[in-house]
Coordinates of all heavy atoms in Angstrom, one line a residue:
E915 N -18.4 -50.0 -99.0 CA -17.3 -49.0 -99.3 C -17.5 -48.3 -100.6 O -17.3 -47.1 -100.7 CB -16.0 -49.8 -99.3 CG -15.6 -50.4 -98.0 CD -15.1 -49.3 -97.0 OE1 -14.5 -48.3 -97.4 OE2 -15.3 -49.5 -95.8
P916 N -17.8 -49.0 -101.7 CA -17.9 -48.3 -103.0 C -19.0 -47.2 -103.0 O -18.9 -46.1 -103.5 CB -18.2 -49.4 -104.0 CG -17.8 -50.6 -103.4 CD -17.9 -50.4 -101.9
R917 N -20.1 -47.6 -102.3 CA -21.2 -46.6 -102.3 C -20.9 -45.4 -101.5 O -21.2 -44.2 -101.9 CB -22.5 -47.3 -101.7 CG -23.7 -46.4 -101.8 CD -24.9 -47.2 -101.7 NE -26.1 -46.4 -101.8 CZ -27.2 -46.6 -101.4 NH1 -27.5 -47.8 -100.9 NH2 -28.2 -45.8 -101.5
I918 N -20.2 -45.5 -100.4 CA -19.8 -44.4 -99.6 C -18.8 -43.5 -100.4 O -18.9 -42.3 -100.3 CB -19.1 -44.8 -98.2 CG1 -20.3 -45.4 -97.3 CG2 -18.4 -43.7 -97.5 CD1 -19.8 -46.0 -96.0
E919 N -17.9 -44.2 -101.1 CA -16.9 -43.4 -101.9 C -17.7 -42.6 -103.0 O -17.3 -41.5 -103.3 CB -15.9 -44.3 -102.5 CG -14.9 -44.9 -101.5 CD -14.2 -43.8 -100.7 OE1 -13.8 -42.8 -101.3 OE2 -14.1 -44.0 -99.5
A920 N -18.7 -43.2 -103.6 CA -19.5 -42.5 -104.6 C -20.2 -41.3 -104.0 O -20.3 -40.2 -104.6 CB -20.5 -43.4 -105.2
L921 N -20.7 -41.5 -102.7 CA -21.4 -40.3 -102.0 C -20.4 -39.3 -101.7 O -20.7 -38.1 -101.8 CB -22.1 -40.9 -100.8 CG -23.3 -41.8 -101.0 CD1 -23.7 -42.4 -99.7 CD2 -24.4 -41.0 -101.7
R922 N -19.2 -39.6 -101.3 CA -18.1 -38.6 -101.1 C -17.8 -37.8 -102.3 O -17.6 -36.6 -102.3 CB -16.8 -39.3 -100.6 CG -16.7 -39.4 -99.2 CD -15.3 -39.7 -98.8 NE -15.3 -40.0 -97.4 CZ -15.2 -41.3 -96.9 NH1 -15.0 -42.3 -97.7 NH2 -15.3 -41.5 -95.6
A923 N -17.7 -38.5 -103.5 CA -17.4 -37.8 -104.7 C -18.5 -36.8 -105.1 O -18.3 -35.7 -105.5 CB -17.3 -38.9 -105.8
R924 N -19.8 -37.2 -104.8 CA -20.9 -36.3 -105.1 C -20.9 -35.1 -104.1 O -21.2 -34.0 -104.5 CB -22.2 -37.1 -104.9 CG -22.5 -38.1 -106.0 CD -23.7 -38.9 -105.8 NE -24.9 -38.0 -105.7 CZ -26.0 -38.4 -105.0 NH1 -26.1 -39.6 -104.5 NH2 -27.0 -37.6 -104.9
A925 N -20.5 -35.4 -102.9 CA -20.4 -34.3 -101.9 C -19.4 -33.3 -102.3 O -19.5 -32.1 -102.0 CB -20.1 -34.9 -100.5
E926 N -18.3 -33.7 -103.0 CA -17.3 -32.8 -103.4 C -17.8 -31.8 -104.4 O -17.1 -30.7 -104.6 CB -16.1 -33.6 -103.9 CG -15.5 -34.5 -102.8 CD -14.0 -34.6 -102.9 OE1 -13.4 -33.9 -103.8 OE2 -13.5 -35.3 -102.1
L927 N -18.9 -32.0 -105.0 CA -19.4 -31.1 -106.0 C -20.2 -30.0 -105.3 O -20.5 -28.9 -105.9 CB -20.4 -31.8 -106.9 CG -19.8 -33.0 -107.7 CD1 -21.0 -33.7 -108.5 CD2 -18.8 -32.5 -108.7
L928 N -20.5 -30.1 -104.0 CA -21.2 -29.1 -103.3 C -20.4 -28.0 -102.8 O -19.2 -28.1 -102.8 CB -21.9 -29.8 -102.0 CG -22.8 -30.9 -102.3 CD1 -23.3 -31.6 -101.0 CD2 -24.0 -30.5 -103.1
Q929 N -21.1 -26.9 -102.6 CA -20.4 -25.7 -102.1 C -21.1 -25.1 -100.9 O -22.3 -25.4 -100.7 CB -20.2 -24.6 -103.2 CG -19.4 -25.1 -104.3 CD -19.3 -24.0 -105.4 OE1 -19.9 -23.0 -105.3 NE2 -18.6 -24.3 -106.5
G930 N -20.5 -24.3 -100.1 CA -21.1 -23.5 -99.0 C -21.7 -24.4 -98.0 O -21.2 -25.4 -97.6
Q931 N -22.9 -24.0 -97.5 CA -23.6 -24.7 -96.4 C -23.9 -26.2 -96.8 O -23.9 -27.1 -96.0 CB -24.9 -24.0 -96.0 CG -25.5 -24.6 -94.8 CD -24.6 -24.6 -93.6 OE1 -23.8 -23.7 -93.3 NE2 -24.8 -25.6 -92.8
A932 N -24.3 -26.4 -98.1 CA -24.6 -27.7 -98.6 C -23.4 -28.7 -98.4 O -23.5 -29.8 -98.0 CB -25.0 -27.7 -100.0
R933 N -22.2 -28.1 -98.7 CA -21.0 -28.9 -98.5 C -20.7 -29.2 -97.0 O -20.4 -30.3 -96.6 CB -19.8 -28.2 -99.1 CG -18.4 -28.9 -98.9 CD -18.4 -30.2 -99.7 NE -17.2 -30.9 -99.4 CZ -16.1 -30.9 -100.2 NH1 -16.1 -30.2 -101.3 NH2 -15.0 -31.6 -99.9
V934 N -20.9 -28.2 -96.2 CA -20.8 -28.4 -94.7 C -21.7 -29.5 -94.2 O -21.3 -30.4 -93.5 CB -21.0 -27.1 -94.0 CG1 -21.1 -27.3 -92.5 CG2 -19.9 -26.1 -94.3
E935 N -22.9 -29.4 -94.7 CA -23.9 -30.4 -94.3 C -23.5 -31.8 -94.8 O -23.6 -32.8 -94.1 CB -25.3 -30.1 -94.8 CG -26.4 -31.0 -94.4 CD -26.7 -31.1 -92.9 OE1 -26.2 -30.3 -92.1 OE2 -27.4 -32.1 -92.6
A936 N -23.1 -31.9 -96.0 CA -22.7 -33.2 -96.6 C -21.5 -33.8 -95.8 O -21.5 -35.0 -95.5 CB -22.4 -33.0 -98.1
D937 N -20.5 -32.9 -95.5 CA -19.4 -33.4 -94.8 C -19.8 -33.9 -93.4 O -19.2 -34.9 -92.9 CB -18.3 -32.3 -94.6 CG -17.6 -32.0 -96.0 OD1 -17.7 -32.8 -96.9 OD2 -17.0 -30.9 -96.1
R938 N -20.7 -33.2 -92.8 CA -21.2 -33.6 -91.5 C -21.9 -35.0 -91.6 O -21.6 -35.9 -90.7 CB -22.2 -32.6 -90.9 CG -22.6 -32.9 -89.5 CD -23.7 -32.0 -89.0 NE -25.0 -32.1 -89.8 CZ -25.8 -33.1 -89.6 NH1 -25.6 -34.0 -88.8 NH2 -26.9 -33.1 -90.3
L939 N -22.7 -35.2 -92.6 CA -23.4 -36.4 -92.7 C -22.4 -37.6 -93.0 O -22.6 -38.7 -92.5 CB -24.4 -36.3 -93.9 CG -25.6 -35.4 -93.6 CD1 -26.4 -35.2 -94.9 CD2 -26.5 -36.0 -92.6
L940 N -21.4 -37.3 -93.8 CA -20.4 -38.3 -94.1 C -19.6 -38.7 -92.9 O -19.3 -39.9 -92.6 CB -19.5 -37.9 -95.2 CG -20.2 -37.9 -96.6 CD1 -19.4 -37.2 -97.6 CD2 -20.4 -39.4 -97.1
A941 N -19.3 -37.7 -92.0 CA -18.6 -38.0 -90.8 C -19.4 -38.8 -89.9 O -18.9 -39.7 -89.2 CB -18.2 -36.6 -90.1
E942 N -20.7 -38.5 -89.8 CA -21.6 -39.3 -89.0 C -21.6 -40.8 -89.5 O -21.7 -41.7 -88.7 CB -23.1 -38.8 -89.0 CG -23.3 -37.5 -88.3 CD -24.7 -37.0 -88.4 OE1 -25.6 -37.7 -89.0 OE2 -24.9 -35.9 -87.9
R943 N -21.6 -41.0 -90.8 CA -21.6 -42.3 -91.3 C -20.3 -43.0 -91.0 O -20.3 -44.2 -90.8 CB -21.9 -42.3 -92.9 CG -23.2 -41.9 -93.2 CD -24.3 -42.8 -92.6 NE -25.5 -42.0 -92.4 CZ -26.2 -42.0 -91.3 NH1 -25.9 -42.7 -90.3 NH2 -27.3 -41.2 -91.2
E944 N -19.2 -42.3 -91.0 CA -18.0 -42.9 -90.6 C -18.0 -43.5 -89.2 O -17.6 -44.6 -88.9 CB -16.8 -42.0 -90.7 CG -16.3 -41.7 -92.1 CD -15.8 -42.9 -92.8 OE1 -15.1 -43.8 -92.2 OE2 -16.2 -43.1 -94.0
V945 N -18.6 -42.7 -88.3 CA -18.8 -43.2 -86.9 C -19.7 -44.4 -86.9 O -19.4 -45.4 -86.2 CB -19.4 -42.1 -86.0 CG1 -19.8 -42.6 -84.6 CG2 -18.4 -41.0 -85.9
E946 N -20.8 -44.4 -87.6 CA -21.7 -45.5 -87.7 C -21.1 -46.7 -88.3 O -21.3 -47.8 -87.9 CB -23.0 -45.1 -88.5 CG -24.0 -46.1 -88.5 CD -24.6 -46.5 -87.1 OE1 -24.6 -45.6 -86.2 OE2 -25.0 -47.6 -86.9
R947 N -20.2 -46.5 -89.3 CA -19.6 -47.6 -90.0 C -18.6 -48.3 -89.0 O -18.6 -49.6 -89.0 CB -18.8 -47.1 -91.2 CG -18.2 -48.3 -92.0 CD -17.7 -47.9 -93.3 NE -16.7 -46.8 -93.3 CZ -16.0 -46.5 -94.3 NH1 -16.2 -47.1 -95.5 NH2 -15.1 -45.5 -94.2
A948 N -18.0 -47.6 -88.1 CA -17.1 -48.2 -87.1 C -18.0 -49.0 -86.1 O -17.6 -50.1 -85.8 CB -16.4 -47.1 -86.3
R949 N -19.1 -48.5 -85.8 CA -20.1 -49.3 -84.9 C -20.5 -50.5 -85.6 O -20.6 -51.6 -85.0 CB -21.3 -48.4 -84.5 CG -21.0 -47.4 -83.5 CD -22.3 -46.7 -83.1 NE -21.9 -45.4 -82.6 CZ -22.6 -44.3 -82.8 NH1 -23.8 -44.4 -83.4 NH2 -22.3 -43.1 -82.3
L950 N -20.8 -50.4 -86.9 CA -21.3 -51.6 -87.7 C -20.2 -52.7 -87.7 O -20.5 -53.9 -87.7 CB -21.7 -51.2 -89.1 CG -23.0 -50.4 -89.2 CD1 -23.2 -49.9 -90.6 CD2 -24.2 -51.3 -88.7
R951 N -19.0 -52.3 -87.9 CA -17.9 -53.2 -87.9 C -17.9 -54.0 -86.6 O -17.7 -55.3 -86.6 CB -16.5 -52.5 -88.1 CG -16.3 -52.1 -89.5 CD -14.8 -51.6 -89.6 NE -14.7 -51.0 -90.9 CZ -14.2 -49.8 -91.1 NH1 -13.7 -49.1 -90.2 NH2 -14.1 -49.3 -92.3
E952 N -18.0 -53.3 -85.5 CA -18.1 -54.0 -84.2 C -19.3 -55.0 -84.1 O -19.1 -56.1 -83.6 CB -18.2 -53.0 -83.0 CG -16.9 -52.2 -82.9 CD -17.1 -51.1 -81.8 OE1 -18.0 -51.2 -81.0 OE2 -16.2 -50.2 -81.8
R953 N -20.4 -54.5 -84.6 CA -21.6 -55.4 -84.6 C -21.4 -56.6 -85.5 O -21.9 -57.7 -85.2 CB -22.8 -54.6 -85.1 CG -23.3 -53.6 -84.0 CD -24.4 -52.8 -84.5 NE -25.6 -53.6 -84.8 CZ -26.6 -53.1 -85.5 NH1 -26.6 -51.8 -85.9 NH2 -27.6 -53.9 -85.8
V954 N -20.7 -56.4 -86.6 CA -20.5 -57.6 -87.5 C -19.7 -58.7 -86.8 O -20.1 -59.8 -86.9 CB -19.7 -57.1 -88.8 CG1 -19.1 -58.3 -89.6 CG2 -20.6 -56.3 -89.7
L955 N -18.7 -58.3 -86.1 CA -17.9 -59.3 -85.3 C -18.8 -60.0 -84.3 O -18.7 -61.2 -84.2 CB -16.7 -58.6 -84.6 CG -15.7 -58.0 -85.6 CD1 -14.6 -57.3 -84.8 CD2 -15.0 -59.1 -86.4
A956 N -19.7 -59.2 -83.6 CA -20.6 -59.9 -82.7 C -21.6 -60.7 -83.4 O -21.9 -61.8 -82.9 CB -21.2 -58.8 -81.8
L957 N -22.1 -60.3 -84.5 CA -23.1 -61.0 -85.2 C -22.7 -62.4 -85.8 O -23.4 -63.3 -86.0 CB -23.8 -60.2 -86.3 CG -24.6 -59.0 -85.8 CD1 -25.0 -58.1 -87.0 CD2 -25.9 -59.6 -85.1
K958 N -21.4 -62.4 -86.1 CA -20.9 -63.7 -86.7 C -21.1 -64.8 -85.7 O -21.3 -66.0 -86.1 CB -19.4 -63.5 -86.9 CG -19.1 -62.7 -88.2 CD -17.6 -62.7 -88.5 CE -17.3 -61.9 -89.7 NZ -15.9 -61.9 -90.1
Q959 N -21.2 -64.5 -84.4 CA -21.4 -65.5 -83.4 C -22.9 -65.7 -83.2 O -23.3 -66.7 -82.5 CB -20.7 -65.2 -82.2 CG -19.2 -65.1 -82.3 CD -18.5 -64.7 -81.1 OE1 -19.1 -64.5 -80.1 NE2 -17.2 -64.6 -81.1
Q960 N -23.8 -64.9 -83.7 CA -25.2 -65.0 -83.4 C -26.0 -65.6 -84.5 O -27.2 -65.9 -84.3 CB -25.8 -63.6 -83.1 CG -25.3 -62.9 -81.9 CD -25.8 -61.5 -81.7 OE1 -26.8 -61.1 -82.4 NE2 -25.3 -60.8 -80.7
G961 N -25.5 -65.8 -85.7 CA -26.2 -66.5 -86.7 C -26.6 -65.6 -87.9 O -26.5 -64.4 -87.9
A962 N -27.2 -66.3 -88.9 CA -27.6 -65.7 -90.1 C -28.7 -64.7 -90.0 O -28.7 -63.7 -90.7 CB -27.9 -66.8 -91.1
Q963 N -29.7 -65.0 -89.2 CA -30.8 -64.1 -89.0 C -30.4 -62.7 -88.5 O -30.8 -61.7 -89.1 CB -31.8 -64.7 -88.1 CG -33.2 -64.1 -88.2 CD -34.2 -65.0 -87.4 OE1 -33.9 -65.4 -86.3 NE2 -35.4 -65.2 -88.0
A964 N -29.5 -62.7 -87.5 CA -29.0 -61.4 -87.0 C -28.2 -60.7 -88.1 O -28.3 -59.5 -88.2 CB -28.2 -61.6 -85.7
W965 N -27.4 -61.4 -88.8 CA -26.6 -60.9 -89.9 C -27.5 -60.2 -90.9 O -27.2 -59.1 -91.3 CB -25.8 -62.0 -90.5 CG -25.0 -61.6 -91.7 CD1 -25.3 -61.8 -93.0 CD2 -23.8 -60.8 -91.7 NE1 -24.3 -61.2 -93.8 CE2 -23.4 -60.7 -93.0 CE3 -23.0 -60.3 -90.7 CZ2 -22.2 -60.0 -93.4 CZ3 -21.8 -59.6 -91.0 CH2 -21.4 -59.5 -92.4
E966 N -28.5 -60.8 -91.4 CA -29.4 -60.2 -92.4 C -30.1 -59.0 -91.8 O -30.2 -58.0 -92.6 CB -30.5 -61.3 -92.8 CG -30.0 -62.4 -93.6 CD -29.4 -61.9 -94.9 OE1 -30.0 -61.0 -95.5 OE2 -28.4 -62.5 -95.3
R967 N -30.5 -59.0 -90.6 CA -31.1 -57.8 -90.0 C -30.1 -56.6 -90.0 O -30.4 -55.5 -90.4 CB -31.5 -58.1 -88.5 CG -32.2 -56.9 -87.9 CD -32.7 -57.2 -86.5 NE -31.6 -57.5 -85.6 CZ -31.4 -58.6 -85.0 NH1 -32.2 -59.7 -85.2 NH2 -30.3 -58.8 -84.2
M968 N -28.8 -56.9 -89.7 CA -27.8 -55.8 -89.7 C -27.6 -55.3 -91.1 O -27.5 -54.1 -91.3 CB -26.5 -56.4 -89.1 CG -25.4 -55.3 -88.8 SD -24.4 -54.9 -90.3 CE -23.8 -56.4 -90.8
L969 N -27.6 -56.2 -92.1 CA -27.4 -55.7 -93.4 C -28.5 -54.8 -93.9 O -28.3 -53.8 -94.6 CB -27.3 -56.9 -94.4 CG -26.0 -57.7 -94.3 CD1 -26.0 -58.9 -95.2 CD2 -24.8 -56.8 -94.6
R970 N -29.8 -55.2 -93.5 CA -30.9 -54.3 -93.9 C -30.8 -53.0 -93.2 O -31.1 -51.9 -93.9 CB -32.2 -55.0 -93.5 CG -32.7 -56.1 -94.4 CD -34.1 -56.6 -94.1 NE -34.3 -56.9 -92.7 CZ -34.1 -58.1 -92.1 NH1 -33.7 -59.1 -92.9 NH2 -34.3 -58.4 -90.9
E971 N -30.4 -52.9 -92.0 CA -30.2 -51.6 -91.3 C -29.1 -50.8 -91.9 O -29.3 -49.6 -92.1 CB -29.9 -51.9 -89.8 CG -31.0 -52.4 -89.0 CD -30.6 -52.9 -87.6 OE1 -29.4 -52.6 -87.2 OE2 -31.4 -53.5 -86.9
A972 N -28.0 -51.4 -92.3 CA -27.0 -50.7 -93.0 C -27.4 -50.1 -94.3 O -27.1 -49.0 -94.7 CB -25.7 -51.6 -93.1
Q973 N -28.2 -50.9 -95.1 CA -28.7 -50.5 -96.4 C -29.6 -49.3 -96.2 O -29.6 -48.3 -96.9 CB -29.4 -51.6 -97.1 CG -29.9 -51.2 -98.5 CD -28.7 -50.9 -99.4 OE1 -27.7 -51.6 -99.5 NE2 -28.8 -49.8 -100.1
T974 N -30.5 -49.3 -95.2 CA -31.4 -48.2 -94.9 C -30.6 -47.0 -94.6 O -31.0 -45.9 -95.0 CB -32.3 -48.6 -93.7 OG1 -33.1 -49.8 -94.1 CG2 -33.3 -47.5 -93.3
E975 N -29.6 -47.1 -93.8 CA -28.8 -45.9 -93.4 C -28.1 -45.3 -94.7 O -28.0 -44.1 -94.8 CB -27.7 -46.3 -92.4 CG -28.4 -46.5 -91.0 CD -27.4 -47.0 -90.0 OE1 -26.2 -47.0 -90.2 OE2 -27.8 -47.5 -89.0
L976 N -27.6 -46.2 -95.5 CA -27.0 -45.7 -96.8 C -28.0 -45.0 -97.7 O -27.7 -44.0 -98.3 CB -26.2 -46.8 -97.5 CG -24.9 -47.2 -96.9 CD1 -24.4 -48.4 -97.6 CD2 -23.9 -46.1 -97.0
D977 N -29.2 -45.6 -97.8 CA -30.2 -45.0 -98.6 C -30.6 -43.6 -98.0 O -30.8 -42.7 -98.8 CB -31.5 -45.9 -98.6 CG -31.3 -47.2 -99.4 OD1 -30.3 -47.2 -100.2 OD2 -32.1 -48.1 -99.2
D978 N -30.7 -43.5 -96.7 CA -31.0 -42.2 -96.1 C -29.9 -41.2 -96.4 O -30.2 -40.0 -96.7 CB -31.1 -42.4 -94.6 CG -31.4 -41.1 -93.8 OD1 -32.5 -40.5 -94.2 OD2 -30.7 -40.7 -92.9
L979 N -28.7 -41.6 -96.3 CA -27.6 -40.7 -96.6 C -27.6 -40.2 -98.0 O -27.5 -39.0 -98.3 CB -26.2 -41.3 -96.3 CG -25.0 -40.5 -96.6 CD1 -24.9 -39.2 -95.9 CD2 -23.7 -41.3 -96.3
S980 N -27.9 -41.1 -98.9 CA -27.9 -40.8 -100.3 C -29.1 -39.8 -100.6 O -28.9 -38.8 -101.3 CB -28.2 -42.1 -101.1 OG -28.2 -41.8 -102.5
Q981 N -30.2 -40.0 -100.0 CA -31.3 -39.1 -100.1 C -31.0 -37.7 -99.6 O -31.3 -36.7 -100.2 CB -32.6 -39.7 -99.4 CG -33.8 -38.9 -99.6 CD -35.0 -39.5 -98.9 OE1 -34.9 -40.2 -97.9 NE2 -36.2 -39.3 -99.5
R982 N -30.3 -37.7 -98.4 CA -30.0 -36.3 -97.9 C -29.0 -35.6 -98.8 O -29.1 -34.4 -99.0 CB -29.4 -36.5 -96.5 CG -30.5 -36.9 -95.5 CD -30.0 -36.5 -94.1 NE -30.2 -37.5 -93.2 CZ -29.6 -37.5 -92.0 NH1 -28.8 -36.5 -91.6 NH2 -29.8 -38.5 -91.1
L983 N -28.0 -36.4 -99.3 CA -27.1 -35.7 -100.3 C -27.8 -35.3 -101.5 O -27.4 -34.2 -102.1 CB -25.9 -36.7 -100.6 CG -24.9 -36.9 -99.4 CD1 -23.9 -37.9 -99.8 CD2 -24.2 -35.6 -99.1
D984 N -28.7 -36.0 -102.0 CA -29.5 -35.6 -103.2 C -30.2 -34.3 -102.9 O -30.2 -33.4 -103.7 CB -30.6 -36.7 -103.6 CG -30.0 -37.8 -104.3 OD1 -28.8 -37.7 -104.8 OD2 -30.7 -38.9 -104.3
T985 N -30.8 -34.2 -101.7 CA -31.5 -32.9 -101.3 C -30.5 -31.8 -101.3 O -30.7 -30.7 -101.7 CB -32.2 -33.1 -100.0 OG1 -33.1 -34.2 -100.1 CG2 -32.8 -31.9 -99.5
A986 N -29.3 -32.1 -100.7 CA -28.3 -31.0 -100.6 C -27.8 -30.6 -102.0 O -27.6 -29.4 -102.2 CB -27.1 -31.5 -99.8
L987 N -27.7 -31.5 -102.9 CA -27.3 -31.2 -104.3 C -28.3 -30.3 -105.0 O -28.0 -29.4 -105.7 CB -27.0 -32.4 -105.1 CG -25.7 -33.1 -104.9 CD1 -25.7 -34.5 -105.5 CD2 -24.5 -32.3 -105.4
E988 N -29.6 -30.7 -104.7 CA -30.7 -29.9 -105.4 C -30.7 -28.5 -104.8 O -31.0 -27.6 -105.6 CB -32.0 -30.6 -105.1 CG -32.2 -31.9 -105.9 CD -33.4 -32.7 -105.4 OE1 -34.2 -32.2 -104.6 OE2 -33.5 -33.9 -105.9
T989 N -30.5 -28.3 -103.5 CA -30.6 -27.0 -103.0 C -29.4 -26.1 -103.3 O -29.4 -24.9 -103.2 CB -30.8 -27.0 -101.4 OG1 -29.7 -27.7 -100.9 CG2 -32.1 -27.7 -101.1
S990 N -28.3 -26.8 -103.7 CA -27.1 -26.0 -104.1 C -27.1 -25.5 -105.5 O -26.3 -24.6 -105.9 CB -25.8 -26.8 -103.8 OG -25.7 -27.8 -104.8
D991 N -28.1 -26.0 -106.3 CA -28.1 -25.5 -107.7 C -28.7 -24.1 -107.8 O -29.4 -23.6 -107.1 CB -29.0 -26.5 -108.5 CG -28.3 -27.8 -108.7 OD1 -27.0 -27.8 -108.6 OD2 -28.9 -28.8 -109.0

């Protein structure tokens, strides 16, 4: 949650097409976050190994979003 909020704050600095793209990416992450919540509930019953895999996947997705927002910020300058 804190990382997504930080990315939202950075996206607010964007203008024009970069802002549109950032908003789209953040909306996609909201959908993905809802899916992850469902998976978390299912994984609680599957054990620690599945839980760790899901956490790695979520971290990778957040890293990807951060990188895309960095690119959008660079192109808006």
Side-chain angles (χ1 to χ4, degrees):
E915 294 286 329
R917 189 158 178 203
I918 290 175
E919 291 305 317
L921 292 171
R922 264 198 193 103
R924 289 177 55 205
E926 297 218 2
L927 300 174
L928 300 173
Q929 296 179 0
Q931 187 59 35
R933 176 66 185 264
V934 170
E935 179 67 10
D937 287 343
R938 184 187 66 76
L939 292 170
L940 287 165
E942 286 177 9
R943 290 303 151 227
E944 284 299 318
V945 170
E946 187 59 32
R947 187 165 58 167
R949 285 187 206 145
L950 286 172
R951 282 187 192 134
E952 291 174 16
R953 287 177 60 194
V954 165
L955 294 175
L957 288 172
K958 284 183 178 181
Q959 297 177 0
Q960 293 179 10
Q963 199 171 41
W965 175 258
E966 289 298 321
R967 184 178 64 244
M968 188 277 307
L969 287 177
R970 283 192 306 272
E971 290 171 6
Q973 185 62 49
T974 298
E975 290 174 12
L976 283 173
D977 290 344
D978 179 58
L979 175 60
S980 181
Q981 184 178 30
R982 288 202 230 168
L983 285 174
D984 284 342
T985 300
L987 281 168
E988 289 170 6
T989 59
S990 70
D991 290 337

